[in-house]
Amino acid sequence: MDDCTRRQLIDLIKREVVLATGCTEPGAVALCVTKARETLGCEPEKVELFLSKNVYKNAMGVGIPGTGMIGLPIAVAIGVVAGDSNRQLEVLNVDEYEVAKAKRWLESHSDAVSIGVKVICDKLYIECVCSKGDDTARAVISGRHTCFTLVEKNGQCKQALAHDEGYATCADSGGCCALSVGKVLDFAINSPVDELRFIYDTVKYNAAAAAEGMKGYGLCVGKILGQANRSGDAVHRVVSRTVAASDARMDGCTMPVYSNSGSGNQGICCTLPVYEYAQILGVDEEQTIRALIISHLMSIYVKQGIGRLSALCGIVNASIGVTSAITYLQGGSYEQVCYAVKNLINTIAGMVCDGAKPSCALKMSTGLYSAFVSAELACHDKVVDATDGLSERDVDCSISNLGRLGHDGMNETDDIVLDIMTHKRN
């Protein structure tokens, strides 16, 4: 692999694997509110939000860090009274004084916040209009959680469109660093390890969140699975320690985690099982680093075809990254990594995203158990037939089929899921 392509892939990972506090959808909404308020130049009297259905459903039921509350109103209030747009996806990481201030603002402005769904827009779309008197400011995030495509005050543009040319090059199948399973493995296995060492930062933060989650958050999936593992089963141990971080994050823990492709849960999933399993196997730091790169970059690759937000749960692409890395750690060949990927695609491809919430930890556990089974079969040279389901003889075609399902095939599913979530009878 040439130096230029290698640098582009390193830049891609660094752009997609970043720190985030709390669920990224309400975080991005708070960021958009913050930018609109900063542009307005004063505290608004009214805040209007127009969200894509994907953003809306992912922000309805998830805990907002440090507040003891769920949903968007408190995230909006933090953006109004304490937000700093320079903090990007850590905009919700505020102290107790600022949380209390946001709650007071929300109590006194209960009729000032309106939230609606925008029908025709990008699947990741956030529009915020802040107003006071005759002045209005509008900010729009589209395509990526931190990408502002419009910032204006009183109809006058205040910021140039934030097109990320580097991302477009790598995401575009025609780009010089267009991804494939072969390219991911070549990059991860053959690049100088010192150039990849940055990925180890993900372990420190995500492991800290897992340790906190073991104290008992949300459904306590990680804590209960860990306590139930009396036999000391390695896979059970890996899964319990990983999903504990999701328990904490989805229930409003204030600790930041490294995200992947705009999702903290995907970042947790790509990091912790690979690191924990490497520790169990006793492999050295270099092999662990290369396995982490495989996991994160493979997930990014699969996610590019599915799209930033989808009716397909992000644990699907993250688990594909994990099964690839596990197969590598077990000494698997390129062909066996391909087998593992195809096995997993034919196992959990239909997992639906029904919003961010504490029970996401359950879906993560399902994806991880399936990742281990898929890798184990692959290492015994067992793979689903090319005639089965989404699978084809070529692994990249199989991944493309999964992307087509997630990006195009499940659009109606999004509408039905959102309708169910907003019209519950209890």
Side-chain angles (χ1 to χ4, degrees):
M1 180 174 292
D2 63 85
D3 291 345
C4 178
T5 300
R6 197 171 69 248
R7 284 194 299 271
Q8 286 185 325
L9 291 177
I10 289 171
D11 288 345
L12 174 62
I13 297 172
K14 288 183 176 181
R15 191 161 49 247
E16 296 289 6
V17 181
V18 298
L19 276 175
T21 298
C23 179
T24 47
E25 274 69 57
V29 169
L31 175 62
C32 195
V33 172
T34 297
K35 177 65 79 172
R37 185 260 301 159
E38 290 172 344
T39 304
L40 184 65
C42 60
E43 185 177 292
E45 296 172 333
K46 184 178 180 181
V47 179
E48 298 174 274
L49 286 173
F50 306 93
L51 311 174
S52 64
K53 56 181 176 284
N54 303 78
V55 171
Y56 186 80
K57 75 177 182 183
N58 272 1
M60 286 178 59
V62 68
I64 305 303
T67 67
M69 301 172 68
I70 65 172
L72 283 173
I74 186 61
V76 170
I78 291 174
V80 168
V81 306
D84 178 356
S85 62
N86 291 320
R87 304 194 69 192
Q88 299 283 288
L89 290 180
E90 291 189 82
V91 70
L92 290 175
N93 191 357
V94 296
D95 60 29
E96 293 179 2
Y97 170 78
E98 291 169 325
V99 168
K101 186 178 177 182
K103 289 182 177 180
R104 289 194 299 270
W105 185 89
L106 193 59
E107 288 175 1
S108 61
H109 293 78
S110 57
D111 297 327
V113 179
S114 66
I115 303 172
V117 174
K118 193 175 183 71
V119 177
I120 302 176
C121 61
D122 191 272
K123 290 186 177 182
L124 198 168
Y125 183 90
I126 303 164
E127 179 180 349
C128 177
V129 178
C130 288
S131 58
K132 184 174 183 178
D134 294 330
D135 292 324
T136 63
R138 184 160 68 118
V140 175
I141 288 175
S142 183
R144 291 164 54 80
H145 290 83
T146 58
C147 181
F148 285 97
T149 55
L150 176 68
V151 178
E152 65 179 21
K153 181 177 181 180
N154 296 329
Q156 299 296 312
C157 181
K158 306 296 288 186
Q159 179 177 314
L161 302 187
H163 293 303
D164 191 334
E165 296 178 0
Y167 176 79
T169 299
C170 287
D172 183 354
S173 60
C176 63
C177 64
L179 291 173
S180 66
V181 172
K183 184 167 286 186
V184 169
L185 294 179
D186 179 21
F187 169 76
I189 295 171
N190 298 316
S191 295
V193 70
D194 286 342
E195 293 184 4
L196 309 178
R197 200 172 297 278
F198 68 90
I199 201 67
Y200 225 65
D201 291 343
T202 61
V203 174
K204 174 184 175 182
Y205 283 88
N206 293 4
E212 179 67 17
M214 279 295 188
K215 297 176 182 178
Y217 283 77
L219 292 179
C220 301
V221 180
K223 181 179 180 180
I224 292 171
L225 290 179
Q227 291 173 340
N229 188 25
R230 297 181 183 89
S231 64
D233 175 77
V235 173
H236 218 55
R237 171 185 166 187
V238 168
V239 173
S240 65
R241 293 190 178 187
T242 301
V243 301
S246 179
D247 282 325
R249 180 175 173 273
M250 293 288 95
D251 200 33
C253 175
T254 59
M255 301 176 73
V257 301
Y258 267 93
S259 60
N260 182 298
S261 302
S263 165
N265 275 345
Q266 289 172 50
I268 289 166
C269 188
C270 288
T271 302
L272 292 181
V274 177
Y275 174 75
E276 292 286 346
Y277 192 58
Q279 294 298 105
I280 291 170
L281 293 179
V283 304
D284 61 22
E285 184 180 77
E286 177 176 339
Q287 194 171 354
T288 302
I289 288 171
R290 296 190 187 283
L292 286 167
I293 289 290
I294 290 173
S295 183
H296 278 282
L297 187 54
M298 190 73 78
S299 180
I300 291 168
Y301 166 38
V302 177
K303 189 66 172 175
Q304 286 178 349
I306 296 170
R308 205 71 173 176
L309 290 179
S310 168
L312 192 64
C313 179
I315 294 304
V316 174
N317 51 275
S319 297
I320 290 174
V322 173
T323 200
S324 303
I326 289 171
T327 304
Y328 163 75
L329 286 172
Q330 291 182 352
S333 64
Y334 165 78
E335 289 77 11
Q336 288 170 326
V337 170
C338 294
Y339 292 169
V341 170
K342 291 196 280 187
N343 288 342
L344 192 59
I345 287 175
N346 274 47
T347 305
I348 60 170
M351 186 182 286
V352 172
C353 172
D354 53 348
K357 59 216 175 297
S359 62
C360 285
L362 280 172
K363 291 188 175 182
M364 188 180 292
S365 68
T366 297
L368 292 178
Y369 283 124
S370 297
F372 274 97
V373 171
S374 296
E376 194 66 28
L377 289 173
C379 289
H380 286 80
D381 294 320
K382 296 297 182 181
V383 61
V384 297
D385 289 335
T387 55
D388 287 5
L390 302 181
S391 187
E392 294 196 31
R393 188 175 302 280
D394 181 83
V395 68
D396 295 299
C397 289
S398 302
I399 290 172
S400 178
N401 292 342
L402 176 66
R404 183 182 172 195
L405 173 70
H407 189 272
D408 302 322
M410 300 182 76
N411 287 331
E412 187 177 353
T413 301
D414 256 337
D415 295 330
I416 294 172
V417 168
L418 183 59
D419 184 68
I420 290 171
M421 291 174 67
T422 54
H423 295 89
K424 293 185 179 181
R425 291 181 289 272
N426 56 345

